[in-house]
Amino acid sequence: MVEGGLNKIEEKDEFQQIMELIREGNNFLLSGGAGSGKTYSLVQVIKKVIEEFPTTKVACMTYTNSAVKEIEERVNHQNLNVTTIHDFLWDNIKNYQNELKKVLIELINEDGVDKIKLINDQKVEPTFFDEIEEIKYSYQGVQLPQGIISHDELLIVANRMFKNHKLLCDIIKDKFKFIFIDEYQDTHKEVVEIFLEHLNKSDKHNIVGFFGDAMQSIYDDRIGNLDDYLKIKVVTEVKKIQNRRNPKLVYELANKLRTDGIQQTHSNDENAPNMISKDEVKLGEIKFIYSENEDLEKVKEYLGWDFNDFKETKELNLTHNLNAIKGQFTNLMSIYNNDKILEYKNLIVSNLKSNNKIVISEDDTFGQVIEKVNLPMSRPIKEFIEINSILFEEAKKYKFILFRRIYLKSDILTDDKKQDEEEENKKGSKRDHLLKHLFKIQNNIKYYKDGKYLEFLKETDYKEYLKNNKLVFNIEQKHILKKNIHELVNVGDKTIEDIIDEAHSKGICLKTYNLLKFQTEKEYAYNRIKKIKFSEFQNVYNYLEGLTPYSTQHKVKGDEFNNVLVILDNGRWPNYNFKYLFENNGNPNVLERTQKIFYVCCTRAKENLAVYYQNPSSKVINKAIEWFGKENVISIEDFVK
């Protein structure tokens, strides 16, 4: 979400600092806390750069479609190229096919590059890609033998391309005199190396600017901060300390969580969202609520918020698993996130990559590969297989060459989470073809139920269905279509397979090649998913479309809501521990990770923030009193009494 508004006095100082660095030819970093208006500063810098350097091209990279769209709308200029990092890198290397093929072969054969490997860690000859017309980049996943790379591989390949080819660095610096990166803390290390290391091999000059907040770095595989580059003065930092979003009590709490020295204060712009007048900032409300037992409904009753107002009130849980329980889609979540047979398969694949002595043929079944590898099972895998013995016997019959490609993970099921219905879909969704098909069916159902008949007619495959059956779309067929969709709306206890078949036979949503391919190549997964009730998938749909009050703590970064309830439950995820946070002990990496996610959650609140902790220790309560104030630390049992 692009942060709006302009604090003229504050912006002038930071803006001038950045422009001075640009005029001196220096790379820069704008660091600012949550709600400070960093992305607006980015827009202002772009406008000024285009004004002062009207013949130069500017590249701007950001992470969401909505941010790309807003920047393009606010800076509509032919010299500005706004895109995602992945698309930017691909656009600048895709035309050098010979070099791409050489780099891919180099990476396949290189030890230590685990993300770019063939089965059995197979090495390849320089002619490996000669029969392939071109290397392609796909959002759908990697297929190295076919010359198709995806997100993770692209970053590694692009990094190596720029590292190996000074000419490529010359070309990009000639093309873009200014390169700006929004939300830099979520950028992968390989990307920062390209812009701050590899490009320096070129004698040509350009300026790279970063915008973001190290405290909002919540993904382990990203750069997190630019401290190493700041130390050697490759980039110069400008700090942005005023807060435009959060009320006083919220940003003061957030200040206690920061570790980088940035301490926010309120805006001195009376038009800022968190200001009442020129000299008065909103106070807001913060609460730390606890109970001995699970009393979440009593907590919500105490707060008195309208949790059906999805746009303004959010309940933030750490994991999708916790939201799956509340959103009632635990069966689908279990299939996508807890299939121990596929976990065992993944372990076998990893073992094969490091063991060249085991030879696997194209005709080997999963069962035959199990016998060849003879890999011991962990206790959770054993227990899962004992409970699901029939499922395991079925899995063993599949050809390993296909079975090994089945990949189920919660990210596939829960990708592209929106905070409200109007929010745009992100580019490059991780959803598999089955889920995409189910979404199309449910879109048809929802359009019809909501009375959006033009959208329904556009979404449905009925005209194609009539064409295939040599029928004409006349009044009679309109009545049949209405009858068909009306029948489909009443899903009852029908399974996912029932609805797929019915939607196809009624011409509402025809089975596609990609769906049939999924059913064939990922038959094991499809056979599990097809038995689930379609109504459970509808619960997933509502959750992902922002039609529930639930969200994960990771997915709200960049968003803001009037009322925010943060549930401090680790959800059995060892990477986080809220007890560590409040007691200030435990594994340092876990503590830092937890501190950052808690910071992100707290700073989403525009009016009211509540934090709920079940069965806290006395140390946790004491820290809560220190952070929230004694009057704001509440036992729900006392409230009930």
Side-chain angles (χ1 to χ4, degrees):
M1 182 181 292
V2 176
E3 300 166 18
L6 173 60
N7 180 333
K8 294 180 181 178
I9 297 175
E10 172 206 359
E11 198 64 43
K12 182 179 179 182
D13 292 339
E14 289 143 10
F15 180 68
Q16 281 185 339
Q17 288 181 61
I18 291 173
M19 291 311 299
E20 284 173 10
L21 289 169
I22 286 174
R23 290 169 191 135
E24 292 167 1
N26 295 321
N27 299 327
F28 65 88
L29 160 64
L30 178 69
S31 294
S36 61
K38 297 179 294 296
T39 308
Y40 185 82
S41 296
L42 166 63
V43 170
Q44 293 304 101
V45 170
I46 291 172
K47 286 181 177 179
K48 189 62 176 176
V49 163
I50 289 174
E51 178 187 322
E52 290 198 11
F53 307 92
T55 61
T56 62
K57 285 205 166 188
V58 178
C60 175
M61 283 159 268
T62 187
Y63 280 83
T64 65
N65 284 340
S66 58
V68 168
K69 183 179 178 182
E70 185 164 349
I71 291 171
E72 286 178 332
E73 287 175 349
R74 295 172 73 175
V75 192
N76 183 15
H77 198 279
Q78 61 184 6
N79 287 345
L80 175 64
N81 179 43
V82 189
T83 183
T84 65
I85 286 175
H86 285 81
D87 285 346
F88 177 84
L89 293 175
W90 181 244
D91 286 343
N92 283 281
I93 66 173
K94 65 183 180 182
N95 294 325
Y96 306 103
Q97 284 293 320
N98 289 334
E99 290 77 9
L100 266 171
K101 291 177 180 179
K102 287 177 183 177
V103 162
L104 260 180
I105 290 168
E106 176 183 319
L107 292 167
I108 289 170
N109 291 333
E110 188 173 309
D111 293 335
V113 188
D114 294 335
K115 289 183 179 177
I116 303 182
K117 284 287 176 283
L118 300 175
I119 189 170
N120 287 339
D121 200 15
Q122 176 189 347
K123 307 301 181 187
V124 297
E125 297 296 325
T127 57
F128 185 71
F129 290 116
D130 283 3
E131 299 301 316
I132 293 173
E133 185 175 345
E134 63 176 339
I135 302 298
K136 295 180 180 178
Y137 167 52
S138 169
Y139 300 130
Q140 305 304 325
V142 60
Q143 296 181 56
L144 278 180
Q146 287 76 45
I148 299 173
I149 60 174
S150 191
H151 303 299
D152 292 342
E153 298 78 29
L154 172 60
L155 299 183
I156 298 169
V157 170
N159 183 289
R160 186 61 59 89
M161 289 276 287
F162 281 98
K163 182 179 180 181
N164 287 357
H165 301 286
K166 177 179 175 293
L167 180 58
L168 189 57
C169 300
D170 288 337
I171 292 169
I172 201 171
K173 290 178 86 169
D174 265 342
K175 189 174 182 181
F176 297 105
K177 293 299 182 185
F178 298 95
I179 296 175
F180 299 139
I181 300 173
D182 196 17
E183 301 290 351
Y184 82 89
Q185 72 277 357
D186 294 332
T187 305
H188 290 77
K189 181 181 178 182
E190 292 90 347
V191 175
V192 176
E193 283 181 355
I194 291 171
F195 295 122
L196 291 183
E197 295 182 33
H198 302 335
L199 290 191
N200 287 340
K201 295 177 182 178
S202 170
D203 296 327
K204 298 179 182 294
H205 185 72
N206 77 341
I207 292 171
V208 183
F210 298 89
F211 297 75
D213 181 10
M215 196 64 195
Q216 295 185 68
S217 169
I218 56 176
Y219 302 108
D220 289 342
D221 60 343
R222 313 298 163 87
I223 191 72
N225 60 66
L226 298 182
D227 290 353
D228 291 341
Y229 296 99
L230 289 169
K231 287 175 186 174
I232 60 175
K233 299 183 179 179
V234 173
V235 64
T236 303
E237 184 176 27
V238 175
K239 291 185 178 180
K240 189 176 179 70
I241 63 169
Q242 293 192 8
N243 186 304
R244 301 178 53 79
R245 173 197 299 155
N246 306 123
K248 181 179 175 65
L249 289 178
V250 172
Y251 71 67
E252 287 184 344
L253 169 64
N255 282 343
K256 296 171 185 175
L257 299 171
R258 292 198 73 97
T259 58
D260 60 357
I262 290 180
Q263 293 291 288
Q264 288 189 303
T265 183
H266 66 78
S267 172
N268 56 16
D269 174 14
E270 60 184 323
N271 296 315
N274 62 352
M275 298 300 293
I276 296 173
S277 65
K278 183 178 179 182
D279 300 313
E280 186 180 3
V281 62
K282 289 180 181 178
L283 184 63
E285 185 176 87
I286 58 174
K287 299 288 184 186
F288 180 93
I289 306 170
Y290 66 95
S291 65
E292 292 183 7
N293 303 305
E294 187 175 352
D295 291 322
L296 187 55
E297 291 309 311
K298 293 177 182 176
V299 170
K300 291 181 178 180
E301 180 186 344
Y302 166 77
L303 291 171
W305 301 345
D306 181 5
F307 282 87
N308 291 318
D309 185 356
F310 309 138
K311 290 187 177 182
E312 296 300 345
T313 302
K314 282 294 176 183
E315 174 190 328
L316 307 183
N317 291 283
L318 183 59
T319 70
H320 287 298
N321 281 327
L322 292 169
N323 285 327
I325 296 169
K326 297 173 182 182
Q328 298 183 329
F329 54 92
T330 53
N331 292 315
L332 278 171
M333 178 60 78
S334 179
I335 291 173
Y336 272 89
N337 199 46
N338 193 38
D339 190 315
K340 299 297 181 185
I341 295 172
L342 293 182
E343 184 179 320
Y344 186 50
K345 178 267 297 180
N346 292 338
L347 292 172
I348 288 174
V349 171
S350 296
N351 183 274
L352 288 171
K353 286 181 178 180
S354 59
N355 190 343
N356 295 325
K357 294 179 181 178
I358 300 175
V359 179
I360 305 300
S361 74
E362 291 189 2
D363 294 325
D364 279 347
T365 64
F366 178 44
Q368 289 170 325
V369 173
I370 290 174
E371 291 178 4
K372 286 184 178 183
V373 177
N374 194 26
L375 188 68
M377 295 181 184
S378 66
R379 183 190 233 174
I381 292 174
K382 267 186 183 176
E383 290 175 352
F384 182 91
I385 287 174
E386 285 173 5
I387 296 170
N388 299 277
S389 57
I390 296 175
L391 184 66
F392 185 52
E393 291 305 314
E394 177 191 337
K396 286 159 67 175
K397 297 175 184 176
Y398 292 108
K399 281 191 174 183
F400 184 68
I401 195 169
L402 289 178
F403 191 74
R404 73 182 300 273
R405 295 177 187 167
I406 298 176
Y407 178 74
L408 296 181
K409 194 177 180 182
S410 63
D411 285 356
I412 298 173
L413 179 67
T414 58
D415 188 46
D416 214 358
K417 173 79 177 73
K418 298 180 181 180
Q419 302 311 330
D420 62 68
E421 197 174 0
E422 282 72 38
E423 187 176 326
E424 290 191 32
N425 290 85
K426 294 188 288 293
K427 193 171 183 179
S429 172
K430 296 177 184 176
R431 289 175 191 158
D432 57 40
H433 290 300
L434 172 58
L435 288 172
K436 288 177 180 178
H437 192 82
L438 297 179
F439 260 83
K440 185 174 180 180
I441 293 174
Q442 183 57 26
N443 281 336
N444 273 299
I445 291 173
K446 190 171 187 302
Y447 283 141
Y448 181 76
K449 287 179 70 175
D450 291 350
K452 297 180 178 179
Y453 301 120
L454 288 177
E455 289 90 341
F456 166 67
L457 287 171
K458 185 178 178 181
E459 179 85 6
T460 185
D461 292 332
Y462 198 67
K463 288 184 178 179
E464 184 180 348
Y465 166 79
L466 294 177
K467 183 180 178 182
N468 293 341
N469 289 279
K470 298 181 180 179
L471 297 170
V472 179
F473 191 51
N474 51 26
I475 296 296
E476 181 185 357
Q477 289 300 334
K478 285 184 179 179
H479 288 307
I480 294 173
L481 174 59
K482 182 178 180 181
K483 174 177 173 290
N484 286 352
I485 184 62
H486 186 72
E487 290 174 351
L488 189 66
V489 164
N490 301 312
V491 300
D493 289 332
K494 294 173 185 174
T495 66
I496 284 174
E497 183 179 42
D498 292 336
I499 295 297
I500 288 174
D501 290 343
E502 188 175 337
H504 178 78
S505 64
K506 293 180 183 300
I508 304 296
C509 187
L510 299 177
K511 294 178 182 178
T512 63
Y513 169 79
N514 284 329
L515 174 66
L516 296 173
K517 188 177 179 184
F518 184 97
Q519 291 173 325
T520 302
E521 295 184 355
K522 300 183 179 181
E523 187 179 355
Y524 168 84
Y526 181 73
N527 285 344
R528 293 201 70 194
I529 296 166
K530 72 180 184 181
K531 300 171 186 175
I532 305 298
K533 290 181 180 179
F534 188 79
S535 58
E536 180 166 326
F537 169 75
Q538 290 180 316
N539 293 337
V540 174
Y541 179 95
N542 290 336
Y543 172 64
L544 295 178
E545 290 296 294
L547 301 173
T548 72
Y550 314 117
S551 186
T552 62
Q553 294 167 4
H554 288 78
K555 288 286 185 180
V556 292
K557 191 163 76 68
D559 291 300
E560 53 189 34
F561 313 96
N562 283 345
N563 310 304
V564 174
L565 171 60
V566 185
I567 311 299
L568 300 187
D569 183 339
N570 305 328
R572 298 182 181 178
W573 195 357
N575 288 355
Y576 296 86
N577 192 307
F578 292 110
K579 187 177 181 183
Y580 288 178
L581 173 64
F582 280 81
E583 294 187 353
N584 194 28
N585 60 22
N587 183 297
N589 292 330
V590 174
L591 176 59
E592 181 184 6
R593 198 180 290 119
T594 308
Q595 192 165 4
K596 287 181 176 180
I597 196 69
F598 187 55
Y599 174 86
V600 167
C601 290
C602 291
T603 53
R604 301 310 97 199
K606 295 190 293 182
E607 301 282 349
N608 306 303
L609 169 69
V611 172
Y612 174 58
Y613 197 120
Q614 185 181 334
N615 199 21
S617 67
S618 58
K619 285 185 177 180
V620 170
I621 293 174
N622 289 336
K623 178 57 74 172
I625 291 172
E626 178 186 331
W627 282 351
F628 288 76
K630 188 172 183 179
E631 70 280 7
N632 295 318
V633 177
I634 295 142
S635 165
I636 202 67
E637 282 86 2
D638 292 342
F639 163 72
V640 173
K641 291 175 185 177

